[in-house]
Amino acid sequence: RPSSSVYGVVLDERAARLSKRKTKFIDDPIYHLDNAEQLIDEMLRGDSIAPETSSEESRVPRDLPPELQSLYREPLLSPARERALFLKFNYRKYQFAMARRRLDPQLARARDLDRLERLLRLAAEVKNEIVRANLRLVVSVARRHLRPGLDLMELVSEGSVTLMRAVESFDVH
């Protein structure tokens, strides 16, 4: 086949995959403003990450495996920063949904599909930042529910999956 034909098939497959992608977001009036991205970025810049103190670092539980101890180096989020991150996460998903709505899969161009994939990637980056900042809580809860016959890593794994689901559906309002 000629390269243009292969290119067309690849574009069609990308467009079909992005069209089928389920994306739910929690709407906010900010998203409908012309300067929404600037407002959300200002919220993030206005409230920095809560500073770690030496006493917090010394609270790393000694009985934790080394791979979990590293979670305590991740800074905690302030409530305002966490709210701003959730707004940014849902705003990226909102942008994706609006761009996809305007896209005609039959007429999709590579740059349009690149933009959609970029928006999904940006949303995933924000989600990962939220999840990383809250994994310490997952470990703490798992340690409290540890019983004989239960594996700590298994509880942390289940808690992490639950945390990721919770991040997807958390409403900051």
Side-chain angles (χ1 to χ4, degrees):
R1 291 185 174 204
S3 61
S4 61
S5 175
V6 172
Y7 182 73
V9 170
V10 170
L11 279 180
D12 289 344
E13 180 59 33
R14 285 175 66 196
R17 183 176 45 83
L18 289 168
S19 294
K20 292 177 187 173
R21 175 79 185 244
K22 293 183 181 185
T23 305
K24 294 180 182 177
F25 62 91
I26 298 167
D27 204 359
D28 190 280
I30 292 175
Y31 305 159
H32 304 281
L33 300 175
D34 292 336
N35 60 344
E37 190 149 0
Q38 286 176 312
L39 291 172
I40 294 169
D41 286 341
E42 285 174 17
M43 284 183 216
L44 283 168
R45 279 192 305 272
D47 190 80
S48 62
I49 296 173
E52 287 281 336
T53 62
S54 58
S55 64
E56 275 191 49
E57 289 205 346
S58 64
R59 282 193 238 159
V60 176
R62 293 182 188 169
D63 61 337
L64 267 177
E67 58 271 13
L68 293 180
Q69 287 179 1
S70 66
L71 296 176
Y72 284 77
R73 284 187 225 115
E74 187 72 30
L76 296 173
L77 297 177
S78 68
R81 181 166 177 82
E82 191 167 48
R83 181 181 190 285
L85 283 171
F86 274 107
L87 284 172
K88 186 172 186 175
F89 174 56
N90 280 294
Y91 180 63
R92 294 294 184 213
K93 293 192 301 182
Y94 166 81
Q95 286 179 306
F96 171 80
M98 294 302 111
R100 182 176 60 185
R101 192 176 292 162
R102 290 188 301 268
L103 182 72
D104 181 0
Q106 302 299 320
L107 304 174
R109 293 182 296 200
R111 70 178 174 161
D112 299 328
L113 300 177
D114 290 343
R115 180 171 188 268
L116 288 173
E117 289 168 344
R118 182 178 151 273
L119 290 169
L120 286 175
R121 189 175 55 255
L122 291 171
E125 288 172 7
V126 176
K127 178 183 177 181
N128 289 338
E129 185 177 347
I130 295 167
V131 169
R132 272 194 314 271
N134 286 287
L135 278 175
R136 193 186 308 191
L137 174 64
V138 170
V139 173
S140 173
V141 171
R143 288 182 73 232
R144 277 189 263 140
H145 289 86
L146 193 59
R147 304 283 182 264
L150 291 176
D151 181 35
L152 177 64
M153 295 306 282
E154 192 174 313
L155 289 175
V156 169
S157 176
E158 289 176 20
S160 298
V161 170
T162 302
L163 174 63
M164 287 185 265
R165 279 193 210 122
V167 167
E168 281 291 332
S169 60
F170 183 74
D171 186 353
V172 296
H173 303 101

